[in-house]
Amino acid sequence: MPPTLRDQLPALANKAYFNYGGQGPLPTPSLEAMVTAWQRIQELGPFTDDVWPFVESTVARLRRRLGCWLGVPPHRLSFTENVTSGCVLPLWGLPWQAGDALLLSDCEHPGVVAACRELAHRHGLSLHSLPVADLLGSPAATDAAVLERLEAALTPRTRLVVLSHLLWNTGQIMPLEQVAAHLQDHPRRPWLLADAAQALGSLPVAAAAAVVDIYACTGHKWCCGPEGLGVVALSERVLAEARPTLIGWRSLSHEGTPASGFHADGRRFEVATSCIPLFAGLDCSLQLLETEGSAEERHARLRRSAGDLWRQLQDVPGLDTLLQVEPPAGLVSFTLAGMSPVEVVGQLGRQRVWLRSLDQPACLRACTHLPTNAADLEALLNALRSTAKT
Amino acid sequence: MPPTLRDQLPALANKAYFNYGGQGPLPTPSLEAMVTAWQRIQELGPFTDDVWPFVESTVARLRRRLGCWLGVPPHRLSFTENVTSGCVLPLWGLPWQAGDALLLSDCEHPGVVAACRELAHRHGLSLHSLPVADLLGSPAATDAAVLERLEAALTPRTRLVVLSHLLWNTGQIMPLEQVAAHLQDHPRRPWLLADAAQALGSLPVAAAAAVVDIYACTGHKWCCGPEGLGVVALSERVLAEARPTLIGWRSLSHEGTPASGFHADGRRFEVATSCIPLFAGLDCSLQLLETEGSAEERHARLRRSAGDLWRQLQDVPGLDTLLQVEPPAGLVSFTLAGMSPVEVVGQLGRQRVWLRSLDQPACLRACTHLPTNAADLEALLNALRSTAKT
C-alpha cells in the first residue's frame, strides 16, 4: 500500500496540528525533491550553460501547474517570496491619482493594511473600510451582505477594493466572482486585490483567480510547500498598466542591458535571484495534494472535518464559535469564556495540541486539512474541555 | 585529516569552475544544515510556540555573524531575498525631491540601473553617469581617478551616488571609504549606495560597509551560501529617513495590528515569510570560510590565484586582459581576438571549464576563489590556448 499523505508529514508524528493556515507541514518527498534539486544544480552548475535548462524547466513546470490550479495562463503569474509581496508589489506601480479611494475589508492582514496606508500616505489616497467581520451566518446571507455593503461603500473615487478570498479570522469565503462582476459596472472599474493566503490549497480557486486583478498566494500554508515561495496571478490590465517597482534582472526583457524594457508578462514583477530548489519542493507538494482528489473533492473533505469540529465545539462549556453555521472551509474560530486566547494556546501546546490565537477579533483558530483525522479532533476537544474546566 | 573546503564542494568534482561571482558552489555541510533546520522545524512546528525560539535563534545567529563580517551593529542589517532587493528597496522610501540628481557609475548591474531609471521617472529625478569602466590600471591610479571624477561629477543637486564595491566587469575595487568621506563634505551629503554583490566573501568589507548608507550583499556568490538570501547594511540616517515600501508583518513593530508603526531597526525593510533553513545554510557556509583564515588572509589567497591567472593569460595568443595590472581581487576579465565571448563560453563548457561572458564590455570573466587550485588554472589555460588556436 502506498504511504498516505499523513505518513509523509513528519510534523504530524508528535502533535495534533491545527495551524495549516499559519504554516503547513512539509512532506518528506518535498524536502527530498529540494535536496535533489540542490544536488543537481551542483552537478550541472551552479552557474553554467548546462544548468539553465534544468533551472528553466523547474520554474516552468511549477508555473504551468499553478496556472492550472489558478485557472489563468501561466504568463499571468509572477513568483514572489511570500503572499504579502504578491499583494503589495503590483500596487506600487499602478497609476494612482491623488484623491483615489481604497476600499479595504476589515478582515485584511495587518501587513497588507499597513502597506495600503503607506501607499495612501505617499500618493494622497483615502482609505475606507468594508465591514465583513460581523458576517457570521450562512454563505448565502454572507454573499448577499457583502454585495449590498460593497454597493453602499463604493464611491465615484473608488479605485481599488481589497478583499481576502477566505477571511483569515472568521473563516468566511468572500464572493469574489460576484464582487468582480459588480466592479465591472463601476465607471472607474476599480482594481480588485484578493489576499488568497488561506485559499490556495484549501478551496477551488480557479474561478475567482481568473477574474481578480491581483490574486496573491503562498505555497507554505495550505499547499504544504516550503516557506519562501509565493505566486500572484495578475490580470491583463494590471500587466499592462502597472510598472515594476522592485526591479532586477528578472524584470528586464534583456537582462544584460540597462536600457532594457520590462517583460510584458508576469516576470515584470519578479526581481532577481530566488531559491530554485523551493520551486521543486512546492511542485512536489502540489502533486501530493493532487493525488488526494480534485480541488472540489479536497475542499469537501476538509470542510467535512471542519464541520465535525464545529459541531462538537458547540458542546464544550464556555466555548463560542465565531460562525453561527458550519464553516465553509477549514478555518474554525472560537472563544473560551474567561480565558485569554494566548493562554489557551500555551496550555494546549503543553499537551501537544497546536492552534493559534488571533488579535482581531481576540479568538482562537483551529484549521482542519486533508491530513486531519479523528484522533486529532479528539485530542483538541479533550484538551479544550479540560482547559475550559480548569 | 579534516576535509578541505574543496572536498566539501560537490560542484567542483566534475568541472573547472570560475563562476564564483555568478553563483558560488554550495558546501555539503551547508546543504545538510538546511535539511537539519527543515527537519527541526517539522519536529517543533512548523507553526507552534515551540518553534519560534529555534527560528529566532537561527536568524539572530546569522545576523550577529554578518554584523561582524560587515562591521556594523546587527540592528542595522535587513535580510532580503537577493542583492538587488537590498539595493532597491530602501531607495523607494527615501525623501526624494523633484530635480534631485542620481549619479551612477557606468559599471553598475543592469537591474540596479533600471530601478534607478524607474525611480527617476516617477519622482522627476535626473540620472548622471560616473565613468569608471575605463580605469584599468593600478589601485592607486584608480582610486585617484575615481575621486577626481567624482568631484567633477557632483553638483549641488546630487542626492545619491551608486558605486559597486568590486566592479563586476573590470574587477576593480572602488575606494568607498574615500568616496564616503568626500560626500560628507558635500552640502547635501548625498546617500551612498554600494552594490556589494562581488565583495562580501571575496574582500574585507567591514571598513566600507560601516560608512556606506546602503551596502547590499548576497549570500549565494562568494559566500557559497544558498541562493535566495541576501543582506543589506543600512546607515542610521537611512533607517531614520527611509520609509518602508514593500511592507509586511516583519516590517511592523506590532505585527498583529494594522495601526502598528514600523520597526526602527533594519527589520523595517523586511517583508514577510522567508525561508528560514536558508539562514542556517548561509551561516554554515560563512563558518566554513572563517576556518580558511581572516578576511584579509582569504582575500590575499584569492588575489594570489587571480594574479597567477592574469600573468599566465598574458601569454595566450590573441588574448587581452581588461586590466593592465594584476587584479586587486578574484575577478579576471579578458577578450579573445576574433571570438565572441558567448561562443568561447560554450566551447570551454564542452571541455568542462566554466566561465561567463559579459555584455558591457563584451568580454569573458573568470573568477578565482579559495577552492581554486593549480589544476583548475591549467585546465582553463589549456582550454583557452586550444580555443584561441582554432
Side-chain angles (χ1 to χ4, degrees):
Chain A
M1 213 171 69
T4 65
L5 177 57
R6 187 169 178 118
D7 292 341
Q8 299 174 88
L9 296 168
L12 304 190
N14 63 358
K15 60 186 82 73
Y17 190 69
F18 292 93
N19 278 337
Y20 298 97
Q23 183 167 344
L26 184 72
T28 299
S30 303
L31 178 54
E32 289 166 351
M34 291 191 278
V35 170
T36 300
W38 253 306
Q39 289 168 336
R40 189 89 178 118
I41 288 169
Q42 299 306 307
E43 185 193 340
L44 296 169
F47 190 104
T48 63
D49 290 356
D50 283 352
V51 83
W52 307 136
F54 174 77
V55 167
E56 280 157 23
S57 69
T58 302
V59 173
R61 186 166 53 242
L62 180 61
R63 202 186 287 272
R64 279 195 307 271
R65 191 181 307 280
L66 284 166
C68 292
W69 280 55
L70 291 159
V72 303
H75 78 266
R76 280 174 46 195
L77 301 182
S78 296
F79 286 111
T80 60
E81 196 186 4
N82 44 54
V83 65
T84 307
S85 302
C87 287
V88 175
L89 262 182
L91 288 185
W92 284 102
L94 287 168
W96 302 107
Q97 292 167 25
D100 284 349
L102 313 182
L103 180 62
L104 280 69
S105 101
D106 60 353
C107 288
E108 298 309 308
H109 194 278
V112 177
V113 177
C116 287
R117 287 173 53 217
E118 181 67 17
L119 189 74
H121 169 80
R122 293 203 209 166
H123 288 279
L125 318 178
S126 61
L127 281 179
H128 306 270
S129 181
L130 177 70
V132 297
D134 63 333
L135 300 175
L136 302 170
S138 71
T142 301
D143 289 1
V146 169
L147 292 167
E148 189 180 304
R149 292 174 181 190
L150 175 71
E151 176 62 29
L154 289 171
T155 74
R157 314 209 80 159
T158 308
R159 198 71 184 96
L160 173 75
V161 174
V162 180
L163 185 61
S164 290
H165 194 173
L166 174 55
L167 301 182
W168 73 312
N169 42 18
T170 67
Q172 291 283 41
I173 296 175
M174 295 293 99
L176 289 179
E177 293 166 69
Q178 293 156 270
V179 168
H182 193 82
L183 295 179
Q184 292 287 332
D185 298 331
H186 185 282
R188 296 196 65 197
R189 288 189 59 211
W191 296 297
L192 177 57
L193 161 67
D195 177 343
Q198 301 298 328
L200 186 70
S202 79
L203 303 181
V205 294
V211 294
V212 165
D213 290 291
I214 300 169
Y215 190 87
C217 311
T218 178
H220 81 294
K221 295 182 185 283
W222 297 87
C223 295
C224 299
E227 54 276 56
L229 181 60
V231 68
V232 54
L234 299 164
S235 65
E236 292 289 356
R237 66 174 178 155
V238 164
L239 286 174
E241 292 168 24
R243 299 178 69 96
T245 301
L246 196 56
I247 294 155
W249 57 264
R250 274 166 72 193
S251 340
L252 302 178
S253 49
H254 297 94
E255 59 179 86
T257 48
S260 164
F262 301 119
H263 281 299
D265 60 22
R267 291 173 295 172
R268 70 201 267 111
F269 296 104
E270 297 177 359
V271 185
T273 304
S274 289
C275 185
I276 296 301
L278 303 185
F279 289 66
L282 178 53
D283 195 61
C284 180
S285 292
L286 295 177
Q287 285 184 65
L288 288 169
L289 291 180
E290 286 171 359
T291 64
E292 299 284 315
S294 71
E296 289 72 18
E297 288 163 346
R298 285 182 270 123
H299 175 214
R301 264 178 63 194
L302 63 86
R303 190 176 48 192
R304 203 148 47 228
S305 46
D308 288 346
L309 175 58
W310 183 91
R311 284 191 306 278
Q312 296 183 72
L313 288 176
Q314 308 303 319
D315 300 329
V316 178
L319 190 149
D320 285 304
T321 54
L322 259 60
L323 293 185
Q324 295 145 5
V325 296
E326 289 189 22
L331 297 176
V332 189
S333 296
F334 54 92
T335 56
L336 261 188
M339 305 276 300
S340 91
V342 171
E343 191 185 355
V344 177
V345 168
Q347 282 199 26
L348 268 63
R350 284 189 284 280
Q351 301 167 63
R352 298 200 158 267
V353 175
W354 287 107
L355 32 61
R356 71 165 288 178
S357 61
L358 296 176
D359 289 344
Q360 292 187 341
C363 66
L364 293 150
R365 188 187 75 186
C367 307
T368 62
H369 200 0
L370 301 178
T372 305
N373 62 21
D376 289 332
L377 296 186
E378 198 182 331
L380 173 57
L381 287 157
N382 284 340
L384 285 170
R385 284 190 202 105
S386 66
T387 301
K389 264 185 256 164
T390 55
Chain B
M1 213 169 71
T4 66
L5 177 58
R6 187 170 177 116
D7 291 341
Q8 299 174 89
L9 296 167
L12 304 191
N14 63 358
K15 59 186 83 72
Y17 191 69
F18 293 93
N19 276 338
Y20 299 96
Q23 182 167 343
L26 184 72
T28 299
S30 303
L31 178 55
E32 289 167 351
M34 291 192 278
V35 170
T36 301
W38 253 305
Q39 289 169 335
R40 189 89 179 117
I41 289 169
Q42 299 306 307
E43 185 193 340
L44 296 169
F47 191 104
T48 64
D49 290 356
D50 283 353
V51 82
W52 307 136
F54 174 77
V55 167
E56 281 158 22
S57 69
T58 302
V59 173
R61 188 166 51 243
L62 180 61
R63 201 186 288 272
R64 278 195 306 272
R65 191 181 307 280
L66 285 166
C68 292
W69 280 54
L70 292 160
V72 303
H75 78 267
R76 280 174 47 195
L77 301 181
S78 296
F79 286 110
T80 60
E81 196 185 4
N82 44 55
V83 65
T84 307
S85 302
C87 288
V88 175
L89 262 183
L91 287 185
W92 284 102
L94 286 168
W96 302 107
Q97 292 167 23
D100 284 348
L102 313 182
L103 180 62
L104 280 68
S105 99
D106 61 353
C107 288
E108 299 309 309
H109 193 278
V112 177
V113 177
C116 286
R117 286 173 54 219
E118 181 67 16
L119 188 75
H121 170 79
R122 291 204 209 166
H123 289 278
L125 318 178
S126 61
L127 281 180
H128 307 269
S129 181
L130 177 70
V132 297
D134 62 333
L135 299 175
L136 302 170
S138 71
T142 301
D143 290 0
V146 169
L147 292 167
E148 188 180 303
R149 292 173 182 191
L150 175 71
E151 176 63 29
L154 288 171
T155 75
R157 314 208 80 159
T158 308
R159 197 71 183 96
L160 173 75
V161 174
V162 180
L163 185 61
S164 290
H165 193 173
L166 175 55
L167 300 182
W168 75 310
N169 43 18
T170 67
Q172 291 283 41
I173 296 175
M174 294 293 100
L176 289 180
E177 293 165 70
Q178 293 156 270
V179 169
H182 193 82
L183 295 179
Q184 291 286 331
D185 299 332
H186 186 281
R188 295 197 65 196
R189 290 190 57 211
W191 297 296
L192 177 57
L193 183 159
D195 178 343
Q198 300 299 328
L200 186 70
S202 80
L203 302 181
V205 294
V211 296
V212 166
D213 289 292
I214 300 169
Y215 189 87
C217 312
T218 179
H220 81 293
K221 294 182 186 281
W222 297 88
C223 295
C224 298
E227 54 277 55
L229 181 60
V231 68
V232 54
L234 299 164
S235 65
E236 292 289 356
R237 66 173 179 156
V238 165
L239 286 175
E241 292 168 26
R243 300 178 68 97
T245 301
L246 196 56
I247 293 154
W249 58 264
R250 272 166 74 191
S251 341
L252 302 179
S253 49
H254 298 94
E255 60 179 85
T257 49
S260 164
F262 300 120
H263 281 300
D265 60 21
R267 291 173 295 172
R268 71 201 267 112
F269 296 104
E270 298 176 359
V271 185
T273 304
S274 288
C275 186
I276 297 300
L278 303 185
F279 289 67
L282 177 54
D283 196 61
C284 179
S285 292
L286 295 177
Q287 284 184 64
L288 288 169
L289 291 180
E290 286 172 359
T291 63
E292 299 284 315
S294 69
E296 290 72 19
E297 289 164 346
R298 285 181 270 124
H299 174 213
R301 264 178 63 192
L302 63 86
R303 190 177 47 193
R304 202 147 49 229
S305 47
D308 288 347
L309 175 59
W310 182 90
R311 283 191 307 277
Q312 295 182 74
L313 288 175
Q314 307 303 319
D315 299 330
V316 177
L319 190 148
D320 285 304
T321 54
L322 258 61
L323 292 185
Q324 295 145 4
V325 296
E326 290 189 20
L331 297 176
V332 189
S333 296
F334 54 92
T335 56
L336 261 187
M339 305 277 297
S340 92
V342 171
E343 190 185 356
V344 177
V345 167
Q347 284 200 24
L348 268 62
R350 285 188 283 280
Q351 302 167 62
R352 298 200 157 267
V353 174
W354 287 106
L355 33 59
R356 71 166 289 178
S357 60
L358 296 176
D359 287 345
Q360 294 188 339
C363 66
L364 294 150
R365 188 187 75 185
C367 307
T368 61
H369 200 359
L370 301 178
T372 305
N373 62 21
D376 289 333
L377 295 186
E378 197 182 330
L380 173 57
L381 286 157
N382 284 340
L384 285 170
R385 284 191 203 104
S386 68
T387 300
K389 264 185 258 166
T390 55

